[in-house]
């Protein structure tokens, strides 16, 4: 009995230790320490800021950090101070904003912009090595007094993208990108959207996990949308956290006719469907032959530019392998179909 009690106590201590480690990781991961404008408004003291939300600018999402606790209990030279680091969509820059108006229902960060930095980093604000934090008060907060900025900043981004490009190759789009650093990178989800609608995942590639060397990736979109399309990468960590790459725009113009697929294949009936991509508007002829080359059916369909779904129903079509041919001008495409 005594051994069981001791073992149980050890289990509880182990679980408590794990809980504290996880708790420490969660809070330390999302915290920034700031010290600046020390001779005037802020004084020579540290301010702790925690991730409290996000700002989305176009397709880029950036984190917002606020002083905690935001209850106006931390005094400063100006009285009591609340700080926020946020990406300003109006000014296209990171800003360190100040509120000294006192404990209202919600903080009001319109008092002043202490510093700003137009380095367009994401998801977190740049550290001291990325861009320059510029005095926002015209001499009251000299840049030289920006002495501390540490914690969850860009220096510890899980993945650093070097580039992200797309190229149209015949009727396909090839995406390629490189990373210079990966930390606990699980995978990349490739996302696409047209001129309207939302981004949707069209594929996934496994990441390198952890690497300090240049890694190269490529993905082929074999069924691209016609016209303007937008692509981005969703990079997902092993722990489930994620960030997005920049968004690129490509305009895919169909160059050649193509049969994407014939289905169902095998088919249990005489009816089947053809996914047909056409570079022009007009009519196509559909021929069905048996394995000996005997013509079983001929049908005419009218198609639009881009994707077309052609339904074909042939009465009294027997079982066996057939050839389906589509002709349009000088273009001829042939596929096999099994009728069971």
């Amino acid at each position: 009995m005594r051994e069981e009690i001791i073992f149980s106590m050890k289990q509880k201590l182990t679980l408590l230790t794990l809980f504290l480690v996880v708790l420490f990781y969660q809070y330390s991961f999302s915290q920034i320490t700031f010290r600046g404008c020390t001779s005037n408004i802020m004084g020579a003291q540290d301010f702790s800021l925690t991730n409290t939300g996000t700002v989305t600018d176009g397709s880029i999402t950036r984190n917002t950090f606020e002083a905690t606790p935001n209850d106006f209990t931390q005094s400063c030279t100006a009285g009591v101070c609340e700080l926020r680091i946020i990406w300003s969509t109006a000014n296209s820059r990171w800003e360190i904003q100040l509120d000294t108006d006192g404990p209202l229902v919600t903080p009001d960060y319109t008092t002043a912009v202490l510093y700003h930095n137009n380095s367009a980093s994401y998801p977190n604000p740049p550290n001291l090595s990325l861009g320059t934090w510029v005095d926002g008060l015209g001499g009251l907060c000299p840049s030289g007094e920006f002495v501390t900025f540490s914690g969850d900043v860009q220096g510890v981004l899980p993945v650093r993208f070097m580039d992200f490009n797309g190229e149209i190759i015949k009727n396909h789009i090839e995406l390629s990108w490189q990373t210079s650093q990966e930390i606990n990178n699980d995978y990349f989800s490739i996302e696409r959207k047209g001129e309207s609608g939302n981004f949707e995942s069209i594929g996934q590639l496994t990441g390198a996990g952890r690497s300090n060397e240049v890694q190269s990736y490529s993905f082929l979109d074999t069924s691209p949308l016609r016209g303007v399309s937008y692509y981005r990468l969703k990079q997902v960590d092993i722990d489930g956290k994620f960030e997005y790459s920049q968004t690129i725009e490509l305009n895919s113009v169909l160059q050649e006719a193509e049969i994407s697929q014939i289905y169902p294949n095998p088919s249990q009936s005489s009816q089947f469907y053809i996914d047909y991509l056409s570079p022009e508007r007009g009519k196509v002829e559909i021929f069905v032959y048996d394995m000996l080359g005997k013509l079983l059916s001929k049908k005419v369909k009218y198609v639009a530019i881009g994707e077309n779904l052609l339904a074909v129903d042939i009465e009294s079509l027997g079982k066996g392998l057939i050839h389906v041919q589509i002709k349009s001008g000088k273009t001829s495409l042939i596929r096999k179909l099994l009728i069971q």
Side-chain angles (χ1 to χ4, degrees):
M1 177 65 72
R2 179 176 176 81
E3 291 179 353
E4 292 179 356
I5 293 175
I6 293 174
F7 180 72
S8 178
M9 289 294 291
K10 287 182 179 180
Q11 283 183 315
K12 290 180 179 179
L13 288 173
T14 300
L15 291 174
L16 179 60
T17 302
L18 289 173
F19 172 76
L20 291 175
V21 168
V22 172
L23 188 64
F24 173 77
Y25 173 79
Q26 288 176 339
Y27 279 91
S28 63
F29 182 81
S30 61
Q31 191 173 45
I32 286 178
T33 299
F34 165 78
R35 176 184 288 205
C37 200
T38 55
S39 64
N40 289 294
I41 298 173
M42 309 306 296
Q45 61 178 318
D46 291 337
F47 288 82
S48 295
L49 298 93
T50 302
N51 179 206
T52 57
T54 59
V55 170
T56 300
D57 187 3
S59 63
I60 301 299
T61 299
R62 296 174 169 88
N63 291 327
T64 298
F65 291 81
E66 293 185 75
T68 52
N70 57 357
D71 54 5
F72 292 88
T73 58
Q74 186 161 357
S75 62
C76 62
T77 304
V80 288
C81 292
E82 293 295 329
L83 294 175
R84 180 172 71 174
I85 305 176
I86 191 171
W87 176 262
S88 170
T89 56
N91 299 318
S92 296
R93 67 187 187 185
W94 287 98
E95 295 182 348
I96 300 180
Q97 302 171 348
L98 172 67
D99 176 19
T100 59
D101 292 343
L104 303 176
V105 176
T106 57
D108 176 14
Y109 294 103
T110 60
T111 300
V113 175
L114 299 181
Y115 298 94
H116 57 80
N117 188 337
N118 63 0
S119 176
S121 57
Y122 64 91
N124 300 322
N127 57 19
L128 295 180
S129 65
L130 294 174
T132 302
W133 288 95
V134 179
D135 168 30
L137 293 178
L140 289 178
C141 286
S143 300
E145 293 183 0
F146 198 132
V147 296
T148 303
F149 197 72
S150 60
D152 183 20
V153 288
Q154 290 300 318
V156 295
L157 267 180
V159 170
R160 292 182 180 176
F161 289 100
M162 295 177 62
D163 56 27
F164 177 37
N165 300 296
E167 182 181 4
I168 300 172
I169 303 176
K170 290 187 177 180
N171 293 337
H172 303 152
I173 289 181
E174 183 176 29
L175 304 173
S176 60
W177 64 97
Q178 289 184 317
T179 63
S180 60
Q181 172 185 284
E182 297 185 25
I183 302 174
N184 296 329
N185 179 24
D186 192 3
Y187 65 90
F188 298 96
S189 176
I190 297 89
E191 298 187 346
R192 180 190 70 190
K193 81 178 206 64
E195 292 189 88
S196 60
N198 301 318
F199 277 101
E200 295 181 351
S201 177
I202 59 171
Q204 184 173 303
L205 287 181
T206 302
R210 180 177 291 272
S211 172
N212 289 318
E213 299 178 351
V214 174
Q215 302 290 331
S216 299
Y217 300 88
S218 65
F219 178 84
L220 190 65
D221 184 359
T222 58
S223 300
L225 303 176
R226 301 306 160 193
V228 176
S229 296
Y230 301 90
Y231 293 87
R232 71 182 183 186
L233 304 172
K234 180 180 180 181
Q235 179 272 315
V236 183
D237 295 348
I238 294 175
D239 59 6
K241 293 184 174 65
F242 62 88
E243 63 170 327
Y244 291 105
S245 71
Q246 69 183 92
T247 298
I248 60 174
E249 175 184 329
L250 293 169
N251 193 348
S252 175
V253 178
L254 193 66
Q255 299 175 353
E256 299 176 356
E258 181 179 312
I259 296 176
S260 297
Q261 63 175 331
I262 295 182
Y263 63 94
N265 191 6
S267 176
Q268 302 291 332
S269 69
S270 60
Q271 184 178 51
F272 55 91
Y273 300 89
I274 305 172
D275 281 341
Y276 180 73
L277 302 177
S278 176
E280 58 187 359
R281 182 183 296 106
K283 70 176 182 178
V284 296
E285 295 177 309
I286 303 175
F287 300 88
V288 177
Y289 300 92
D290 64 16
M291 289 301 296
L292 298 177
K294 178 183 177 182
L295 179 63
L296 303 178
S297 173
K298 174 185 175 182
K299 293 182 179 295
V300 175
K301 300 280 186 178
Y302 290 87
V303 297
I305 297 175
E307 299 178 0
N308 296 268
L309 178 61
L310 307 179
V312 180
D313 193 355
I314 304 173
E315 297 180 1
S316 303
L317 186 61
K319 296 181 179 180
L321 194 64
I322 62 173
H323 287 135
V324 180
Q325 180 184 34
I326 298 182
K327 283 187 177 182
S328 175
K330 296 181 180 181
T331 301
S332 176
L333 301 172
I334 299 177
R335 297 291 186 271
K336 294 180 181 180
L337 175 66
L338 178 61
I339 306 296
Q340 293 182 336

